């Protein structure tokens, strides 16, 4: 459990350094968090206030924090995130049924959402193990569960590729190359940080992964209508995320082109492919923010949008996952998931 504790510290460190590197007061003001900190008595703005932090660095930050927010757009973005989770749930169910999973739509959906919830609050892809446990408890074999999770991960990679294609069409080669190189740098750094299995070389891992890709894609392509449906669901999910982030930017008065947001989201996804922090928190924001800066967005605005996007995603996800699990539950216990995780019961899909 000590590794889990370190992961939370790592996530906190990334968020703190993000604020520091991109301008603490600017980000607090632009996200309107400064207004909240003043209201709850953490920042003391004038003599009538209580607060641990004495004063605001400059009056302009207070004025920025009081700028109206278009809450209608924020609510609409939240509904789009909710629709995104619904679309991904349908896609997961389609994949699960193809590989012989025994659950119904409701059972498969809860398996997916349970893993999603665990992944948001715990590091190292614990949610993958959680979903695997639920699927096997419903009657699926280990191989079927692993294939389902691996295929689901491939569709995530497909969506990341879509981010890159749309970003290239909208931005051109100049900023696009820098953003792609940034994403590749972050992923490589995280990969080198994670210890490989004893005796396993990069080449052997790549060959094994390639064989698994060919096996899973070959199985999916044997049912062209289903494959097309699952790919279409990825397209819808991709569009929902992009539009939601664009609405958040407009709601908070952050001027940024749609294609730049697309590349930012893609870089954020890549940055948390290997989640060393809970849910890749901090990793996602750094990946997203730096890609926006490379696309020409100001540093404070880039960090603000990255934080707000992930914050709303977390809030909507917590409500959606929490509500479903509270009313219906899943066919496993958290202690069983932890035991399986600690004993090395993992999947081949760490996305």
């Amino acid at each position: 459990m000590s590794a889990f504790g370190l992961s939370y510290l790592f996530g906190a460190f990334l968020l703190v350094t993000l604020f520091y590197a991109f301008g603490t007061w600017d980000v607090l003001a632009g996200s309107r968090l400064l207004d909240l900190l003043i209201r709850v008595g953490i920042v003391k703005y004038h003599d009538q206030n209580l607060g641990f932090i004495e004063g605001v660095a400059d009056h302009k930050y207070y004025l920025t924090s009081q700028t109206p927010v278009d809450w209608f757009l924020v609510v609409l973005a939240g509904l789009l995130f909710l629709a995104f989770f619904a679309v991904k749930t349908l896609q997961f169910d389609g994949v699960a049924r193809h590989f012989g999973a025994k659950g119904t739509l409701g059972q498969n959906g809860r398996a997916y959402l349970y893993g999603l919830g665990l992944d948001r609050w715990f590091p190292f892809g614990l949610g993958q193990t959680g979903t695997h446990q639920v699927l096997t408890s419903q009657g699926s074999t280990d191989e079927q569960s692993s294939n389902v999770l691996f295929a689901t991960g491939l569709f995530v990679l497909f969506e990341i590729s879509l981010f890159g294609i749309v970003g290239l069409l909208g931005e051109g080669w100049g900023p696009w190359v820098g953003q792609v190189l940034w994403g590749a740098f972050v992923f490589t750094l995280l990969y080198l940080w994670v210890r490989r299995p004893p005796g396993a070389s990069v080449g052997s891992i790549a060959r094994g992964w390639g064989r698994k890709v060919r096996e899973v894609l070959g199985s999916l392509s044997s049912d062209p209508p289903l494959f097309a449906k699952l790919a279409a669901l990825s397209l819808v999910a991709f569009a929902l995320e992009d539009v939601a982030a664009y609405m958040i930017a407009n709601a908070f008065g952050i001027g940024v082109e749609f294609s730049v947001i697309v590349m930012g989201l893609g870089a954020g996804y890549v940055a948390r492919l290997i989640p060393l922090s809970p849910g890749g928190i901090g990793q996602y924001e750094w990946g997203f923010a730096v890609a926006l800066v490379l696309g020409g967005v100001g540093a404070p605005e880039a960090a603000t949008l990255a934080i707000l996007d992930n914050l709303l995603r977390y809030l909507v996800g917590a409500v959606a996952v929490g509500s479903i699990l509270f009313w219906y539950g899943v066919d496993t216990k958290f202690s069983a998931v932890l035991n399986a995780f600690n004993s090395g019961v993992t999947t081949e899909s760490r996305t």
Side-chain angles (χ1 to χ4, degrees):
M1 297 300 291
S2 60
F4 275 29
L6 287 174
S7 76
Y8 288 105
L9 290 176
F10 178 63
F13 170 77
L14 289 177
L15 288 178
V16 169
T17 54
L18 180 75
F19 274 89
Y20 181 79
F22 287 75
T24 302
W25 287 107
D26 288 292
V27 177
L28 287 175
S31 63
R32 312 306 193 267
L33 290 173
L34 178 59
D35 181 54
L36 176 64
L37 294 175
I38 292 173
R39 290 175 181 271
V40 299
I42 294 177
V43 174
K44 183 177 181 180
Y45 180 62
H46 52 69
D47 292 339
Q48 302 276 327
N49 283 127
L50 297 175
F52 303 106
I53 300 174
E54 193 73 31
V56 178
D58 193 289
H59 183 60
K60 68 178 181 180
Y61 298 123
Y62 175 77
L63 293 177
T64 300
S65 73
Q66 301 303 303
T67 305
V69 174
D70 191 335
W71 291 108
F72 174 77
L73 288 180
V74 174
V75 171
L76 194 54
L79 292 175
L80 290 178
F81 278 132
L82 194 61
F84 166 80
F85 293 132
V87 168
K88 294 299 290 182
T89 298
L90 288 173
Q91 185 185 62
F92 181 87
D93 177 67
V95 172
R97 289 173 182 272
H98 173 78
F99 285 103
K102 306 302 181 183
T104 63
L105 170 60
Q107 290 174 319
N108 290 334
R110 292 196 296 275
Y112 170 73
L113 292 173
Y114 180 65
L116 182 69
L118 290 181
D119 266 338
R120 287 293 181 265
W121 300 103
F122 294 94
F124 314 131
L126 181 68
Q128 298 286 327
T129 303
T131 298
H132 186 279
Q133 285 292 103
V134 177
L135 290 175
T136 53
S137 69
Q138 293 171 177
S140 301
T141 65
D142 284 338
E143 182 180 5
Q144 288 171 332
S145 300
S146 295
N147 284 338
V148 170
L149 287 166
F150 193 91
T152 303
L154 289 181
F155 280 110
V156 172
L157 296 179
F158 172 59
E159 289 158 25
I160 291 174
S161 300
L162 290 175
F163 286 129
I165 294 170
V166 173
L168 174 60
L169 294 176
E171 292 187 312
W173 287 99
W176 185 85
V177 170
Q179 290 163 331
V180 169
L181 290 176
W182 163 245
F185 168 76
V186 172
F187 178 78
T188 302
L189 185 65
L190 292 172
Y191 178 79
L192 294 175
W193 196 340
V194 175
R195 185 181 304 172
R196 296 193 300 272
S201 65
V202 175
S204 65
I205 293 174
R207 287 191 294 273
W209 194 82
R211 285 194 297 271
K212 189 68 175 178
V213 169
R214 290 192 296 272
E215 174 188 334
V216 169
L217 288 183
S219 177
L220 288 171
S221 61
S222 66
D223 188 349
L226 175 66
F227 201 5
K229 173 186 173 183
L230 297 176
L233 287 173
S234 271
L235 288 171
V236 174
F238 162 81
L240 288 170
E241 279 198 293
D242 291 334
V243 175
Y246 188 66
M247 286 183 176
I248 294 170
N250 282 284
F252 284 81
I254 301 171
V256 53
E257 293 181 5
F258 185 76
S259 60
V260 178
I261 287 180
V262 169
M263 288 303 296
L265 283 167
Y269 260 64
V270 171
R272 70 174 181 198
L273 276 175
I274 302 176
L276 298 184
S277 62
I281 194 167
Q283 298 174 219
Y284 176 82
E285 286 84 352
W286 266 101
F288 196 160
V290 173
L292 291 181
V293 170
L294 292 172
V297 180
E301 292 81 6
T304 299
L305 179 54
I307 291 168
L308 291 171
D309 176 80
N310 211 23
L311 178 60
L312 185 59
R313 186 192 305 268
Y314 259 77
L315 291 174
V316 173
V319 171
V321 174
S323 299
I324 290 173
L325 297 182
F326 176 78
W327 286 107
Y328 298 100
V330 290
D331 299 318
T332 191
K333 294 182 178 179
F334 181 64
S335 57
V337 175
L338 274 181
N339 289 334
F341 183 82
N342 291 329
S343 63
V345 178
T346 60
T347 70
E348 298 176 76
S349 166
R350 290 294 176 190
T351 56

